[in-house]
Amino acid sequence: MNNSVNTQDFIKVANEADNVVDFLGPSIKYECDDMVINIEYYTITTLPTKLKEWAFDLLKSNMENLYKGSNLGWNSKQKRQEMNDKDCKYLIASNNENPIGFAMFQFTWEETMADDDKEIEVIYCYEIQLAEEARRKGLGTFLMRTLEKIGKNWKMNKVMLTTFKKNKLAMDFYINRLGYQIDEISPSEVLLPKEAKDYDYEILSIKL
């Protein structure tokens, strides 16, 4: 990428790139005990319909109950719309050509608590979902570290994500294993405790 590009253009440049993972080489692979996992990059316009349906079905299987138990509730139509946003990008992990996990992300602006209301460039991980057979193999860590590399290459300031407080496994994974922190704009950081308790999610981030 062109390092002379004005900072204000980094989001636009990243979103208009044909392939944001080119810098990682001709292929992305992750090897674990009994798998050689290939990671393929797609934009929402290049993601095949079959994979779109698979990704939605995996998300629903993994997360529907958590959503139903939250203030958000579960809305299939709304979730499909989110997963088909024009700026969505996907990393699809496959073993023997069978998809087993994915990360969905966007390059976007995010607010800060700076006095001047400054917004910063971030790579936002909206979803990371693994099939049962792909769990506890380090793939989730590999996908998140790959997102961090992508964000750093495209001059983003942070990786950010949102997770339910009650999803203890996810909170432990991000904070204790990967070193993410509760972001300064998360409800628990900006609201009084009695107000923050009405929000059942945290916004997490790691600086790049």
Side-chain angles (χ1 to χ4, degrees):
M1 69 179 285
N2 184 356
N3 290 326
S4 67
V5 174
N6 185 286
T7 302
Q8 297 299 315
D9 294 330
F10 285 152
I11 296 293
K12 183 174 185 291
V13 170
N15 278 330
E16 291 180 351
D18 291 332
N19 189 331
V20 301
V21 301
D22 272 346
F23 72 98
L24 292 173
S27 64
I28 308 172
K29 293 184 183 294
Y30 173 70
E31 297 186 24
C32 56
D33 301 336
D34 55 348
M35 293 182 177
V36 177
I37 299 170
N38 293 299
I39 313 293
E40 297 287 342
Y41 167 74
Y42 297 92
T43 65
I44 192 59
T45 56
T46 62
L47 185 66
T49 299
K50 186 176 180 179
L51 281 178
K52 288 181 184 178
E53 289 303 311
W54 165 83
F56 176 80
D57 289 343
L58 179 60
L59 169 67
K60 183 177 180 180
S61 175
N62 288 350
M63 300 295 294
E64 184 176 13
N65 287 338
L66 274 170
Y67 271 92
K68 285 182 175 178
S70 74
N71 294 333
L72 292 172
W74 174 258
N75 185 316
S76 291
K77 181 179 180 181
Q78 181 178 340
K79 183 55 64 177
R80 284 185 183 277
Q81 289 175 341
E82 291 173 4
M83 295 179 74
N84 283 275
D85 184 87
K86 65 181 179 63
D87 291 324
C88 281
K89 306 176 194 309
Y90 285 80
L91 296 178
I92 305 288
S94 300
N95 180 46
N96 292 326
E97 300 186 357
N98 296 313
I100 57 173
F102 75 93
M104 183 185 89
F105 65 98
Q106 291 188 22
F107 297 103
T108 188
W109 295 99
E110 190 53 83
E111 61 184 339
T112 68
M113 295 305 294
D115 291 338
D116 59 359
D117 294 326
K118 179 182 178 181
E119 291 188 326
I120 59 171
E121 307 95 328
V122 305
I123 180 170
Y124 211 108
C125 178
Y126 285 94
E127 299 291 346
I128 179 167
Q129 301 294 334
L130 303 180
E132 178 62 35
E133 67 268 25
R135 297 172 191 166
R136 296 172 291 279
K137 296 179 181 294
L139 178 58
T141 297
F142 182 81
L143 287 172
M144 289 305 300
R145 295 307 189 204
T146 300
L147 288 183
E148 291 165 20
K149 291 177 182 178
I150 295 169
K152 190 171 184 178
N153 181 75
W154 291 93
K155 309 300 183 184
M156 301 297 110
N157 284 274
K158 295 178 181 178
V159 178
M160 297 184 70
L161 58 95
T162 303
T163 190
F164 290 121
K165 292 178 182 178
K166 66 171 63 176
N167 192 346
K168 301 298 185 184
L169 288 176
M171 292 288 288
D172 179 71
F173 170 69
Y174 292 119
I175 293 175
N176 296 322
R177 182 172 299 184
L178 299 186
Y180 282 65
Q181 298 180 333
I182 296 175
D183 193 78
E184 63 179 351
I185 66 169
S186 193
S188 65
E189 291 293 302
V190 299
L191 301 175
L192 295 172
K194 64 179 181 180
E195 298 171 328
K197 70 179 182 180
D198 293 331
Y199 293 81
D200 49 15
Y201 64 87
E202 294 282 10
I203 299 172
L204 307 181
S205 68
I206 193 168
K207 292 182 178 180
L208 299 175

